[in-house]
Amino acid sequence: MTSSIPAVGTRTGGAATLQAVFLDLDGTLVDTEGFWWEAEAQVFAELGHVLDDVHREVVVGGPMTRSAGYLIQATGADIGLTELSVLLNAAFLDRIARGVPLMPGAHRLLAELAAHEVPAALVSASHRTIVDRMLQSLGPEHFRLTLAGDDLPRTKPHPDPYVTAAARLGVDPARCVVVEDTLTGVRAGEAAGCPVVAVPSVTPIPAAPGRSVVRSLEEVDLAFLRSLITESRGAVH
């Protein structure tokens, strides 16, 4: 699929230029948040525990260590964090092996960014094995950089993944837009100093200064992303 908007030759260096777009993976570009919950429910069922739906809102969007640790504590399961993480990743990989559905508007947005030579970075809290497997569905050529949850000592909600992505691309975080589907990821992007677009998947995300909330990626295009940089720069002055 290609963008219907003509590509520009070069990016300008103006103060309000959009320098890059940082995109979350699960629930943002691919419709897999339900897959994670199914994997967690399956693994805990095999351990003799039934997961209550109330736990889903707590673990969504979080790094594996936080989510797995929380579920061990909540259920009292007799299993270590490392062993549980291995089981959860295996169960999830089994599900995505059957195919990974893209979120509405995801392919079009990635194609448009590529056509206009706007660098895109994939910034996920999922482990590298998961990220690399799902890149097969998304197309690795769409991303200048990918960061997984186990690539850094600290992941979301800490700002480290987005700060690192900006540093490796040589761009200013204030001129990069983060696209996330959970409050955990939104807070990470905001802490890094980036304007954020929230596309809620499992739980609602309230609007806030420097944060735009949309219903789906079908509402997000290059013109919209560029306008967020203009607005954020204008707000400073």
Side-chain angles (χ1 to χ4, degrees):
M1 180 177 179
T2 59
S3 173
S4 60
I5 303 174
V8 296
T10 58
R11 290 187 295 141
T12 62
T17 300
L18 173 67
Q19 293 185 337
V21 178
F22 302 148
L23 300 121
D24 174 54
L25 181 58
D26 292 292
T28 300
L29 290 176
V30 291
D31 190 8
T32 52
E33 289 292 6
F35 287 19
W36 274 114
W37 182 245
E38 290 171 8
E40 289 157 347
Q42 173 195 320
V43 168
F44 274 88
E46 292 169 354
L47 294 171
H49 298 273
V50 177
L51 291 185
D52 192 295
D53 280 346
V54 70
H55 300 310
R56 185 175 183 179
E57 293 188 7
V58 179
V59 301
V60 65
M64 174 67 73
T65 52
R66 190 196 75 182
S67 298
Y70 167 81
L71 291 173
I72 290 173
Q73 184 177 25
T75 61
D78 185 17
I79 189 171
L81 183 60
T82 300
E83 183 183 357
L84 178 58
S85 296
V86 170
L87 293 176
L88 291 174
N89 274 324
F92 184 76
L93 282 168
D94 179 63
R95 275 163 172 71
I96 64 175
R98 308 166 198 168
V100 179
L102 271 59
M103 297 297 285
H107 198 176
R108 187 266 315 152
L109 176 60
L110 291 174
E112 185 176 0
L113 294 176
H116 287 261
E117 300 180 358
V118 176
L122 185 65
V123 183
S124 176
S126 294
H127 284 191
R128 172 55 61 182
T129 53
I130 300 292
V131 171
D132 288 347
R133 181 71 63 85
M134 286 199 277
L135 274 172
Q136 298 173 16
S137 297
L138 285 168
E141 70 277 3
H142 287 120
F143 303 99
R144 192 76 58 88
L145 169 75
T146 66
L147 279 176
D150 52 345
D151 288 342
L152 299 171
R154 299 195 311 177
T155 188
K156 307 169 189 177
H158 299 289
D160 305 32
Y162 289 116
V163 171
T164 300
R168 292 186 182 178
L169 290 177
V171 295
D172 178 0
R175 299 182 192 175
C176 302
V177 176
V178 165
V179 184
E180 281 275 2
D181 73 303
T182 67
L183 192 55
T184 297
V186 165
R187 286 172 173 162
E190 291 173 343
C194 303
V196 175
V197 175
V199 193
S201 58
V202 175
T203 58
I205 299 175
R211 178 192 307 171
S212 301
V213 182
V214 299
R215 289 170 295 182
S216 88
L217 289 180
E218 293 182 318
E219 299 180 28
V220 180
D221 59 14
L222 186 54
F224 174 65
L225 295 172
R226 283 174 169 163
S227 75
L228 299 180
I229 301 300
T230 302
E231 290 171 5
S232 66
R233 298 289 293 184
V236 174
H237 302 290

